[in-house]
Amino acid sequence: MELKRNECPYCGAKIQFPEEGDFFCEYCDGAISLPKKEVPNPPAAPPPPTPAMYERNCPTCNGSIYFNSLTPGTTTKCTHCGEYVTITRKEETAPPKEQTPQKPAPPKFSPKSYSTTLFLCIFLGWFGFHRFYVGKTISGLLYLFTVGGFGYGNIIDIFLILSKKFTDADGLLVCQN
């Protein structure tokens, strides 16, 4: 039996229908059942991420999607738009690579001779000749006018050359023959 709005199906009296549910006609006490309105279900909230889940964005609606694994071929349904999303790229499965620290480059060595620098420092270092030889002109002049930095600078240079820590004007180690 089809219901007309505002009419009782039994007696035809004009009545006010409620929005939904069962009620009785005021005039004839006839039982009237109205069909329930269907309420659309709200979209389900995405599951909360767990440590074993991976989050990606849906290519259709850009909503968050959670995958249990990132293996190519894994499919899940987007809870926002209902599209099925499949992981297709292999690079998504690999964790980001940590950059390994670069090994420091081996120190570069001066083309100046170690033995010549040591010889000049021991015998003529009081006058800064070893510093002129490796290209350190300004400190060579200081050694020349202060007699090897009052003797202390020359002794320090001898130990630096022997320990192979002495550098030339370009900062390169003087330690090879």
Side-chain angles (χ1 to χ4, degrees):
M1 163 164 79
E2 189 176 317
L3 294 177
K4 292 182 181 177
R5 272 303 199 203
N6 300 334
E7 280 186 19
C8 173
Y10 301 108
C11 66
K14 302 271 185 201
I15 54 173
Q16 185 70 30
F17 282 13
E19 290 295 320
E20 63 180 42
D22 298 333
F23 69 98
F24 293 96
C25 175
E26 304 169 3
Y27 303 104
C28 68
D29 287 330
I32 303 171
S33 288
L34 294 176
K36 292 185 178 181
K37 290 183 179 178
E38 288 191 30
V39 179
N41 291 336
T50 61
M53 297 184 88
Y54 301 95
E55 181 179 0
R56 294 289 181 261
N57 289 336
C58 175
T60 305
C61 69
N62 208 23
S64 294
I65 304 172
Y66 297 97
F67 288 91
N68 289 331
S69 76
L70 293 179
T71 307
T74 303
T75 302
T76 191
K77 186 176 183 180
C78 176
T79 56
H80 303 285
C81 66
E83 291 289 322
Y84 284 94
V85 179
T86 303
I87 299 231
T88 56
R89 295 189 319 221
K90 192 168 189 165
E91 59 267 11
E92 287 188 49
T93 61
K97 291 184 178 180
E98 293 181 19
Q99 292 183 352
T100 56
Q102 296 287 335
K103 292 182 181 177
K108 303 225 177 193
F109 301 110
S110 174
K112 301 295 181 179
S113 170
Y114 170 79
S115 54
T116 304
T117 307
L118 182 60
F119 177 82
L120 288 173
C121 186
I122 291 172
F123 295 107
L124 297 171
W126 304 107
F127 305 110
F129 280 47
H130 65 290
R131 291 207 164 246
F132 287 116
Y133 173 70
V134 296
K136 296 181 176 181
T137 309
I138 295 174
S139 62
L141 288 172
L142 285 173
Y143 274 50
L144 181 65
F145 294 122
T146 60
V147 188
F150 305 110
Y152 296 113
N154 189 43
I155 292 171
I156 291 171
D157 282 351
I158 290 172
F159 285 110
L160 284 174
I161 294 169
L162 287 172
S163 65
K164 299 184 179 186
K165 303 279 185 195
F166 192 74
T167 59
D168 67 3
D170 296 324
L172 303 174
L173 292 174
V174 179
C175 63
Q176 292 182 341
N177 285 334

